[in-house]
Amino acid sequence: MTYVPSHVQIETVNRYCDARCPMCTIKFVPDWPKNSDDELSFDGQSRSAEIMTLDTFKAILSKFQPYLDKIRFLSLHGCGEPLLDKTLPEKIKFAKDLGLKQVGFTSNCSALTEKNTD
Protein backbone atom coordinates (compact mmCIF):
# COMPACT_ATOMS: atom_id res chain seq x y z
CA MET A 1 0.00 0.00 0.00
CA THR A 2 1.32 3.43 -0.95
CA TYR A 3 0.97 6.27 1.53
CA VAL A 4 -0.22 9.53 -0.03
CA PRO A 5 -0.27 12.68 2.12
CA SER A 6 -3.51 14.62 2.36
CA HIS A 7 -1.61 17.93 2.36
CA VAL A 8 1.07 18.77 -0.20
CA GLN A 9 3.32 21.80 0.16
CA ILE A 10 5.30 23.23 -2.75
CA GLU A 11 7.68 26.11 -2.09
CA THR A 12 7.33 28.38 -5.11
CA VAL A 13 9.34 31.29 -3.66
CA ASN A 14 12.62 30.85 -1.78
CA ARG A 15 14.46 33.64 0.06
CA TYR A 16 12.52 36.55 -1.48
CA CYS A 17 10.33 38.49 0.93
CA ASP A 18 9.23 42.09 1.35
CA ALA A 19 9.03 41.89 5.16
CA ARG A 20 11.73 41.59 7.76
CA CYS A 21 9.97 39.96 10.69
CA PRO A 22 12.20 40.02 13.78
CA MET A 23 11.74 36.30 14.50
CA CYS A 24 12.62 35.13 10.97
CA THR A 25 16.01 33.46 10.51
CA ILE A 26 15.93 33.31 6.70
CA LYS A 27 18.65 35.27 4.87
CA PHE A 28 16.54 37.15 2.34
CA VAL A 29 17.65 38.80 -0.88
CA PRO A 30 18.70 41.64 -1.26
CA ASP A 31 20.03 41.81 2.33
CA TRP A 32 22.12 38.73 1.56
CA PRO A 33 23.44 37.59 -1.83
CA LYS A 34 21.42 35.15 -3.94
CA ASN A 35 24.04 32.53 -3.05
CA SER A 36 25.38 33.01 0.46
CA ASP A 37 27.01 31.20 3.34
CA ASP A 38 24.67 29.99 6.07
CA GLU A 39 26.22 28.42 9.14
CA LEU A 40 22.82 26.96 10.12
CA SER A 41 22.33 25.00 6.89
CA PHE A 42 23.25 21.37 6.30
CA ASP A 43 26.25 22.12 4.10
CA GLY A 44 27.03 25.68 5.18
CA GLN A 45 25.41 27.20 2.08
CA SER A 46 21.96 28.79 1.79
CA ARG A 47 19.70 27.47 -0.92
CA SER A 48 19.87 29.81 -3.87
CA ALA A 49 17.16 32.47 -3.85
CA GLU A 50 14.70 31.90 -6.65
CA ILE A 51 11.09 31.87 -7.78
CA MET A 52 9.98 28.58 -9.29
CA THR A 53 9.13 28.76 -12.97
CA LEU A 54 5.64 27.89 -14.12
CA ASP A 55 7.00 25.00 -16.20
CA THR A 56 8.81 23.50 -13.21
CA PHE A 57 5.69 23.89 -11.07
CA LYS A 58 3.56 22.13 -13.69
CA ALA A 59 6.07 19.29 -13.98
CA ILE A 60 6.14 18.75 -10.20
CA LEU A 61 2.40 19.04 -9.67
CA SER A 62 1.57 16.78 -12.62
CA LYS A 63 3.32 13.93 -10.81
CA PHE A 64 0.58 14.07 -8.17
CA GLN A 65 -2.24 13.62 -10.70
CA PRO A 66 -2.75 9.89 -9.98
CA TYR A 67 -3.29 10.71 -6.28
CA LEU A 68 -5.72 13.63 -6.51
CA ASP A 69 -8.49 11.65 -4.82
CA LYS A 70 -6.30 11.46 -1.68
CA ILE A 71 -4.91 15.02 -1.62
CA ARG A 72 -7.17 17.47 0.20
CA PHE A 73 -5.01 20.61 0.18
CA LEU A 74 -2.10 22.17 -1.73
CA SER A 75 -0.08 24.86 0.03
CA LEU A 76 2.09 27.14 -2.12
CA HIS A 77 4.36 28.45 0.59
CA GLY A 78 7.80 27.90 2.06
CA CYS A 79 10.67 30.27 2.86
CA GLY A 80 9.50 33.30 0.92
CA GLU A 81 6.55 35.57 0.13
CA PRO A 82 4.24 33.87 -2.41
CA LEU A 83 2.72 37.16 -3.61
CA LEU A 84 6.10 38.17 -5.07
CA ASP A 85 5.64 35.40 -7.65
CA LYS A 86 4.11 37.01 -10.72
CA THR A 87 3.02 33.58 -11.99
CA LEU A 88 1.13 32.70 -8.79
CA PRO A 89 -2.34 33.12 -10.39
CA GLU A 90 -1.36 30.77 -13.23
CA LYS A 91 0.02 28.23 -10.76
CA ILE A 92 -3.21 28.30 -8.76
CA LYS A 93 -5.29 27.97 -11.95
CA PHE A 94 -3.20 25.02 -13.12
CA ALA A 95 -3.64 23.29 -9.74
CA LYS A 96 -7.40 23.86 -9.80
CA ASP A 97 -7.70 22.74 -13.43
CA LEU A 98 -5.72 19.61 -12.54
CA GLY A 99 -8.39 18.78 -9.99
CA LEU A 100 -7.08 20.02 -6.64
CA LYS A 101 -10.03 21.39 -4.72
CA GLN A 102 -8.25 23.46 -2.08
CA VAL A 103 -5.20 25.57 -2.90
CA GLY A 104 -3.80 28.19 -0.54
CA PHE A 105 -0.74 29.94 0.80
CA THR A 106 0.43 31.98 3.78
CA SER A 107 1.32 35.61 3.15
CA ASN A 108 2.22 38.80 4.97
CA CYS A 109 -0.27 40.43 2.53
CA SER A 110 1.83 43.55 1.99
CA ALA A 111 1.77 42.94 -1.79
CA LEU A 112 -1.97 42.25 -1.79
CA THR A 113 -3.94 44.67 -3.93
CA GLU A 114 -7.50 44.72 -5.16
CA LYS A 115 -6.29 43.77 -8.65
CA ASN A 116 -4.25 40.73 -7.65
CA THR A 117 -6.95 39.60 -5.23
CA ASP A 118 -9.22 38.94 -8.20
Side-chain angles (χ1 to χ4, degrees):
M1 180 167 157
T2 301
Y3 171 75
V4 178
S6 63
H7 181 125
V8 173
Q9 182 171 345
I10 299 176
E11 179 184 61
T12 58
V13 177
N14 179 49
R15 293 187 53 228
Y16 285 106
C17 187
D18 53 358
R20 294 298 178 268
C21 302
M23 76 290 199
C24 187
T25 60
I26 300 167
K27 294 183 173 182
F28 289 111
V29 171
D31 304 347
W32 297 86
K34 184 176 177 183
N35 297 304
S36 62
D37 293 335
D38 185 351
E39 63 284 353
L40 300 176
S41 73
F42 174 74
D43 64 358
Q45 184 72 23
S46 296
R47 287 185 298 136
S48 183
E50 62 186 330
I51 295 175
M52 183 183 290
T53 67
L54 182 58
D55 288 339
T56 298
F57 176 79
K58 287 179 176 182
I60 292 169
L61 197 58
S62 293
K63 293 181 181 193
F64 289 96
Q65 194 163 17
Y67 312 105
L68 292 178
D69 60 326
K70 305 250 191 283
I71 299 171
R72 292 190 346 236
F73 188 78
L74 171 65
S75 177
L76 303 178
H77 180 254
C79 298
E81 172 53 50
L83 290 176
L84 297 180
D85 178 0
K86 295 188 185 331
T87 64
L88 184 63
E90 291 133 302
K91 288 173 179 160
I92 293 170
K93 181 178 183 337
F94 179 79
K96 300 292 265 179
D97 289 349
L98 196 63
L100 286 155
K101 293 172 184 58
Q102 295 183 354
V103 180
F105 56 89
T106 302
S107 173
N108 63 36
C109 295
S110 61
L112 194 60
T113 64
E114 187 175 343
K115 181 182 177 190
N116 68 17
T117 300
D118 291 335

